[in-house]
Amino acid sequence: MISEAPSPQAVPLLGLGLGELEAWAVSQGQPAFRGRQLHDWIYAKGARRLADISVLPKAWRESLAAGADPGGANALGRSRELLRSVAKDGTTKLLLSTADGLSLETVGIPSRDRLTVCVSSQVGCPMACRFCATGKGGLQRSLAVHEIVDQVLCVREVMERRPSHVVFMGMGEPLLTIDSVLAAIHCLCTDLGMAQRQITVSTVGVPATLPSLAELALERLGRAQFTLAVSLHAPDQALREQLIPTAHAYPLETLLDDCRRYVEITGRRVSFEYILLGGLNDHPRQAAALATLLRGFQSHVNLIPYNPIEEEDFQRPSPERVEAFRRALQERHVAVSVRASRGLDEDAACGQLRRRAALPSL
Ligand code: SAH
């Protein structure tokens, strides 16, 4: 049946700020304070459905839920959990379904004093980095603001703990969807009370986007205090192109110039991620080349030992090899850390839970 009545809301309520929710309540013929109640229930209480927001008048709730979509389940913009996978160390991967039936991954990574949520910015990814499971399936679409914020709420709900950190290191390339990413950061800080400094945006590099990311962040967030992490993975252009096909359109020198520009505009130092692939980019000689490349740069290098994926036979380097690479950087005065592998027993590498779910035998 096709309803003649206009939908009571064009966009999901999740992702809207207090002022927008108040304006929306007024547009629905309700007093503005209903917007404050909605805000409290959506963000602080984590309501999943309008019907659950018991402080709202019942008749209004019912008419909204009826108009939103069959059953009203998505009026708020929350996803549905399809699969949950919990590793021995507590790392919790969720496979979530969007309203249009696409699935995406989000991961909660707990430690004693923090809970980090690794969020996806896209369903799939067009960048096709060779070592990345997500890249094997191409891009479906970018995520909207509510679909990014929902991931943080889902992890909070499942792990019964307030996330302290958010990293855009799940599926997708955040710099291909800057508007949604910045709006999501704004929502996480303003509506969920997170600190911008506890948020990291990771990119493999999209030509001509880094300076505009810096400028748009200042414009829309008032300041650019989140951490920018750039996935470098190689100390020279030729090897980088082998690992990251899109790198051919973005010379390493230009990428680093853009990073310097980002530092100038934001006053924040940049992190570089470097995946260690045994026998390919993990020789101490390559660490020396990396140190030379980054000379004079306010930066930090994060080494990530490769998490094996099915489609490729790259090697995970031995702990000794990782340590030798780390030491070679440290000796050259590069600030460096090694990312501890979390939840390796539960398809830790990006995009793997989704691929497992797609297999008919599971
Ligand atoms: N597109 C963005 C963010 C998503 S990937 C980016 O490339 O930065 C987040 C991080 O996970 C990147 O540093 C990426 O290189 C790393 N990664 C992807 N596949 C991996 C694997 N199999 N093992 C280890 N790290 C991986």
Side-chain angles (χ1 to χ4, degrees), residues 125 127 129 131-133 168-174 202-204 229 231 233 273 275 304-309 339 349-350 352:
C125 185
M127 304 305 278
C129 301
F131 45 79
C132 177
F168 284 81
M169 292 187 185
M171 298 165 64
E173 172 43 55
S202 175
T203 178
V204 73
S231 294
H233 306 326
E273 289 157 285
I275 190 171
I304 320 170
Y306 168 65
N307 278 324
I309 65 167
R339 185 177 306 161
C350 180
Q352 292 197 5

Side-chain angles (χ1 to χ4, degrees), residues 10-181:
V11 290
L13 298 182
L14 179 59
L16 300 186
L18 179 58
E20 291 162 315
L21 288 170
E22 285 174 343
W24 181 77
V26 170
S27 78
Q28 301 294 308
Q30 296 288 323
F33 75 86
R34 296 281 177 221
R36 181 171 289 279
Q37 291 177 323
L38 277 165
H39 189 272
D40 184 42
W41 281 72
I42 291 171
Y43 296 107
K45 295 191 166 66
R48 289 205 144 262
R49 304 178 317 142
L50 273 166
D52 299 336
I53 308 184
S54 53
V55 286
L56 301 180
K58 195 151 183 276
W60 187 41
R61 259 186 287 154
E62 280 171 0
S63 76
L64 286 176
D69 70 76
N74 278 316
L76 294 186
R78 298 300 308 271
S79 64
R80 207 159 48 84
E81 184 181 322
L82 297 174
L83 210 62
R84 186 184 306 182
S85 163
V86 183
K88 287 186 199 80
D89 65 5
T91 299
T92 301
K93 266 204 173 195
L94 302 176
L95 191 69
L96 304 174
S97 169
T98 61
D100 56 348
L102 297 175
S103 54
L104 64 105
E105 286 187 14
T106 194
V107 192
I109 307 159
S111 68
R112 201 171 50 84
D113 53 2
R114 48 170 84 178
L115 172 57
T116 302
V117 186
C118 176
V119 295
S120 296
S121 55
Q122 299 185 307
V123 180
C125 185
M127 304 305 278
C129 301
R130 281 188 51 209
F131 45 79
C132 177
T134 304
K136 302 296 172 197
L139 174 71
Q140 270 80 62
R141 68 167 170 84
S142 294
L143 293 174
V145 183
H146 69 279
E147 293 168 323
I148 298 175
V149 176
D150 167 76
Q151 298 173 52
V152 179
L153 292 177
C154 286
V155 168
R156 183 178 76 179
E157 186 180 309
V158 165
M159 300 185 79
E160 296 179 346
R161 189 173 162 190
R162 222 178 124 88
S164 57
H165 292 67
V166 168
V167 293
F168 284 81
M169 292 187 185
M171 298 165 64
E173 172 43 55
L175 264 68
L176 290 173
T177 177
I178 292 178
D179 286 341
S180 302
V181 167

Side-chain angles (χ1 to χ4, degrees), residues 179-202:
D179 286 341
S180 302
V181 167
L182 289 179
I185 293 175
H186 186 270
C187 180
L188 293 174
C189 296
T190 312
D191 304 302
L192 275 181
M194 297 192 70
Q196 222 195 99
R197 283 179 182 274
Q198 320 287 39
I199 297 175
T200 297
V201 175
S202 175

